[in-house]
Each structure stands twice: as C-alpha cells, then as structure tokens.
C-alpha cells in the first residue's frame, strides 16, 4: 500500500518504521523542519509502564484544583478557560467512574508493557544506540506521599509489576547523589522501568525507516484531508492534491483540527508540559537513571551528559507563553534532590510542549470510520512510553492481522459515544 503519515513526532516516526518494515510505501509529512520537534522534543524520557496513570485516577481532583491555591502544584489551570477546555473537563469528570478508571488503567498498562517489549526489539536492530539507563525511583517526601501512593501500588501488585518499597537509606544506595539534607521518607523502586532519550531515538529510527524505503517530507503544512475523495491530502504549498491508499493521522494536537471538517469531533486538547535541560559538570552529582518526586510530579532524568527536569501540566495555556511558576518548580525540585547535577549558569534549555491529551487517558489507535483514514493519536504525556507498541498495533490492523495484545478500549468509538 501507498501510505501517508501525518506527523513526525515519536508516534509518527515509529509508525513509519513499522509500516515500512511491513513493505508498504510510506511518505511522512511534517510541518516542522525535523522529526520530534513538538511534544517529543524535550520530554522527561521516562519509559515507566508501571507508573502510567490516566488523569481520571483517584486523587487527581485535588491535583486539578490545587493549582488555584498553591504555587508549586503539578497542574495549573490558565484562566479564563476556552469552551473546548471546559468541555474536555466535563468529559474528564464523566470518566472518573471507578470501573471506567480501572479499565482505562488496565488498557494503558497493557499497551505500555507491550510497547517496552517492542522498543527493545526495534532498538536491538538499529545501527546506533541511544542514551538510556535502567531503573526508576519514586521519591516520597513524607507519610502523606506514602499514603497517597498505596492504592496505585496495590493495583501494580495485582498486575504483577516488580516493585520494591525501600527506605531512605536504600534509596540513596540506588541513587547515591540524592541530597542528604532533603527529607526523604522512603521510595518505590521500579527496577524494570527505564529512561531513554526520546528525540535521539526518533532521529535514529528515522534513518532506519528511510533505509526501509520511507520518505520524510519536512516543512509541509497539511490544509485538509479531502472530504469527498478517500485518502487524499491538500498541502499548503501544492495546488494538486496528493492521493494515497491510506492515511495515518499522528499529528498531535493538530489532529483534532484536521478531523473536525470530516465530522469527527475528537475531544483532544493540549496539556502543556515544561522541562529544563542542563549540562552535567560532574557525573557523580547527577542521577544514575531517573527519579520522580511524587509530591510535585516532577521527573529528574539522566540524558547522557545532560540532566533533564520535567513536569507540570498546564490546561488552557498557549505555546509561546511561559509560566514562570512552573519553571521555578522544576528548579526547586532539582535543587532539593540533585543540587550539583546541572550547570545552571549558562546553556540551560527551557522547553514547553503541547501534549495531545484525551480526557479518559488511553490513546486512539485504529480505523477512524472514514474509508482510508487511520488514527494513532492522543497519547498525552505517555507518547514515548506507548509509541513503539502503538505503531506495531496499528501496522497489524492495517495489514488485517490480529495484534499481539488486546486492543479493547483503544478505538475512537469510545470517545465519540461519550461526546
């Protein structure tokens, strides 16, 4: 088949690789100048299937309301909210029914485990390696954090996830550079989770996809997917439309705008995340792999010779407006745990990215209901952790093969019915 992929973030690149590996003729259209320039550019890099939770999870209500009162809260609501953001939050509240929450978490966990397995298979085939490290540590500042995390730990144990509740001393043996004077009540060690450089992987995988015959076309703005002609694209700089056998939509937040004229009103909204990245002057003062501050929901990860601090979630924001409170929270958490990890006097990269979030948590993977149009989108802040598995699932669906995992709960119909 001759297949177009819209979007060259981590989802689009992995999809291109899997479809090219299946022998399809693949063309990727990307509005930026390179791969992984949007939400995939400077994310935390955490590959932690055991720590992925839908936003409808218990306790998230307090996290959503907290930003109105507390400076260092993990989620911030930018006022006034647009009508689309308010509608999104109504669907989010509707998805908080306990049975729905449990099902969505199971869907995400199943896909994440498969994705980790698939990533390792793909990485073993690539000509180049990427920055990665094993293990993930969830830091608990006090008893409140320990109590809050218990329901999640109970579920992980039911799912058979290897984890260890460790003391503060044991946590400092796992990550020796942790600041000795920051109060630490203990930690959760997830030995099978890992950290990896998402953008670096995307660049390497693009090369692998091109070797399989895929083409990447950059600085291409898609005006529309044709309503009348199946699998047909209209580009901003081309007078004649381009026709394919199939189109796969992986265009992040822009996907909702492309779907709306086709009659698909998908509740996909940007939730902005922040990160800072700095050079590591002395490796002994930096994390060996990655840690998560459970109270502030901020991750600190090792990216080769750089340390990255990522977190916060901003609803109703805009791409070009930085929230100074969110950025200062990242600096605070870094100073609390690894004060000497990064050279902060110069060369610090500050990033804000729009993560395409669906209100119930899982992504949408599969047929759109429109002939020739397939979807692989809505992964939110978990795109890196879900990318390789999502791409393989979609490639199997297009080939009319049974995917290797149960894909219940990942179809677009669940959201269209809810809306």
């Amino acid at each position: 088949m001759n297949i177009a992929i819209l979007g060259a973030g981590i989802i689009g690149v992995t999809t291109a690789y899997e479809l090219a590996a299946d022998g399809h003729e693949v063309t990727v259209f990307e509005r930026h100048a390179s791969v992984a320039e949007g939400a995939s550019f400077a994310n935390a890099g955490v590959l932690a299937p055991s720590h992925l939770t839908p936003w409808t999870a218990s306790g998230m209500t307090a996290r959503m309301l907290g930003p109105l009162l507390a400076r260092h809260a993990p989620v911030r609501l930018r006022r006034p909210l647009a009508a689309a953001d308010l509608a999104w939050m109504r669907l989010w509240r509707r998805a908080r029914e306990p049975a729905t929450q449990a099902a969505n978490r199971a869907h995400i966990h199943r896909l994440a485990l498969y994705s980790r397995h698939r990533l390792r298979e793909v990485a073993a085939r690539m000509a180049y390696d990427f920055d990665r490290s094993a293990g993930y540590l969830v830091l608990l500042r006090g008893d409140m954090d320990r109590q809050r995390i218990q329901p999640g730990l109970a579920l992980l144990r039911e799912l058979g996830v290897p984890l260890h509740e460790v003391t503060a001393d044991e946590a400092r043996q796992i990550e020796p550079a942790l600041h000795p004077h920051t109060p630490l009540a203990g930690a959760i060690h997830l030995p099978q989770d890992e950290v990896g450089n998402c953008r670096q992987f995307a660049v390497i995988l693009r090369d692998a996809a091109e070797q399989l015959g895929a083409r990447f076309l950059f600085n291409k703005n898609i005006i529309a997917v044709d309503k009348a002609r199946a699998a047909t694209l209209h580009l901003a700089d081309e007078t004649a439309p381009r026709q394919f056998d199939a189109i796969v939509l992986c265009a992040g937040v822009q996907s909702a705008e492309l779907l709306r004229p086709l009659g698909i009103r998908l509740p996909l909204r940007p939730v902005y995340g922040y990160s800072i990245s700095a050079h590591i002057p002395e490796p002994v003062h930096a994390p060996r792999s990655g840690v998560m501050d459970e109270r502030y929901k901020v991750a600190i990860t090792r990216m080769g010779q750089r340390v990255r601090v990522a977190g916060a979630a901003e609803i109703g924001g805009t791409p070009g407006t930085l929230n100074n409170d969110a950025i200062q929270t990242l600096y605070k958490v870094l100073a609390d745990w690894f004060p000497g990890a990064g050279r902060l006097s110069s060369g610090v990269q500050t990033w804000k990215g729009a993560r395409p979030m669906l209100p119930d948590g899982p992504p949408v993977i599969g047929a759109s209901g429109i002939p020739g149009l397939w979807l692989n989108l809505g992964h939110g802040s978990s795109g890196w952790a879900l990318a390789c598995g999502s791409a393989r699932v979609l490639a199997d669906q297009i080939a009319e093969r049974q995917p290797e995992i149960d894909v219940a709960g990942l179809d677009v119909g669940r959201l269209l019915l809810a809306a």
Side-chain angles (χ1 to χ4, degrees):
M1 294 174 66
N2 185 8
I3 302 177
I5 297 175
L6 309 189
I10 189 61
I11 303 299
V13 174
T14 52
T15 301
Y17 174 82
E18 294 290 0
L19 289 173
D22 278 0
H24 297 290
E25 184 179 345
V26 175
T27 305
V28 183
F29 296 89
E30 168 57 48
R31 61 194 176 97
H32 292 107
S34 183
V35 299
E37 289 286 307
S40 306
F41 183 76
N43 57 35
V46 176
L47 294 160
S50 57
H51 208 59
L52 299 185
T53 306
W55 272 39
T56 53
S58 177
M60 193 60 78
T61 301
R63 296 174 196 165
M64 293 287 284
L65 297 178
L68 304 180
L69 304 173
R71 179 182 179 189
H72 292 302
V75 184
R76 289 171 174 79
L77 307 181
R78 303 295 286 174
R79 297 298 182 94
L81 290 178
D85 292 314
L86 292 171
W88 186 93
M89 292 189 71
R90 284 193 293 270
L91 291 174
W92 169 79
R93 291 190 183 98
R94 195 183 305 174
R96 285 181 53 76
E97 195 275 328
T100 303
Q101 290 180 40
N104 285 333
R105 181 154 189 171
H107 298 329
I108 293 173
H109 184 74
R110 181 170 58 249
L111 179 59
L113 286 177
Y114 177 61
S115 189
R116 183 175 65 188
H117 168 74
R118 187 61 186 164
L119 183 149
R120 289 171 177 172
E121 286 188 337
V122 171
R125 301 174 186 170
M126 297 193 312
Y128 307 100
D129 202 0
F130 64 103
D131 293 334
R132 61 197 297 195
S133 52
Y136 193 54
L137 200 61
V138 181
L139 304 176
L140 309 175
R141 289 177 178 258
D143 290 338
M144 179 182 67
D145 303 314
R146 189 190 305 278
Q147 294 169 11
R148 183 177 291 169
I149 206 171
Q150 290 308 311
L153 295 182
L155 179 58
L156 292 179
R157 291 188 178 100
E158 289 178 15
L159 294 171
V161 175
L163 61 87
H164 309 288
E165 294 189 67
V166 300
T167 66
D169 288 341
E170 290 170 329
R172 289 191 166 96
Q173 290 176 6
I174 297 168
E175 286 288 357
L178 284 170
H179 197 313
H181 300 306
T182 299
L184 179 60
I188 310 301
H189 185 221
L190 302 160
Q192 292 190 359
D193 290 345
E194 56 187 294
V195 168
N197 191 317
C198 176
R199 187 170 189 273
Q200 191 180 39
F201 179 85
V203 170
I204 296 170
L205 194 61
R206 170 202 169 181
D207 179 70
E210 287 179 327
Q211 291 182 33
L212 293 171
R215 290 197 309 149
F216 287 77
L217 303 181
F218 297 105
N219 300 306
K220 293 291 184 180
N221 287 314
I222 305 298
I223 297 177
V225 177
D226 201 297
K227 294 172 63 175
R229 289 173 289 184
T232 301
L233 293 177
H234 295 270
L235 279 72
D237 58 349
E238 299 181 9
T239 56
R242 294 198 185 208
Q243 192 162 16
F244 298 86
D245 298 318
I247 294 172
V248 182
L249 187 53
C250 310
V253 174
Q254 186 191 15
S255 300
E257 301 171 11
L258 293 171
L259 289 171
R260 196 172 298 115
L262 305 177
I264 300 178
R265 302 187 66 83
L266 198 63
L268 185 72
R269 297 299 296 163
V271 177
Y272 293 95
Y274 290 81
S275 74
I276 56 173
S277 303
H279 176 73
I280 297 173
E282 291 290 343
V284 69
H285 298 314
R288 290 177 170 175
S289 182
V291 306
M292 164 69 78
D293 186 310
E294 173 63 21
R295 184 169 302 178
Y296 290 98
K297 298 298 178 187
V298 168
I300 306 173
T301 52
R302 179 76 167 265
M303 294 287 172
Q305 298 305 308
R306 294 172 71 81
V307 62
R308 179 164 297 159
V309 192
E314 184 178 282
I315 301 173
T318 55
T321 304
L322 296 179
N323 185 313
N324 188 60
D325 284 351
I327 295 169
Q328 290 307 311
T329 298
L330 303 182
Y331 279 104
K332 167 190 163 48
V333 174
L334 178 62
D336 283 351
W337 296 117
F338 300 97
R343 179 178 293 137
L344 305 181
S345 57
S346 63
V348 177
Q349 176 194 71
T350 301
W351 173 82
K352 178 180 182 179
R355 300 171 295 194
M357 192 80 71
L358 292 166
D360 60 350
V364 166
I365 307 171
S368 69
I370 294 175
L373 180 62
W374 297 81
L375 307 177
N376 190 4
L377 48 83
H379 299 73
S381 58
S382 305
W384 177 213
L386 301 177
C388 290
S390 299
R392 187 64 254 166
V393 164
L394 185 74
D396 287 339
Q397 290 174 328
I398 289 176
E400 299 183 350
R401 290 191 297 263
Q402 184 69 30
E404 295 182 30
I405 62 168
D406 182 2
V407 295
L410 303 179
D411 62 295
V412 70
R414 76 177 199 269
L415 291 160
L416 299 181
L417 291 172

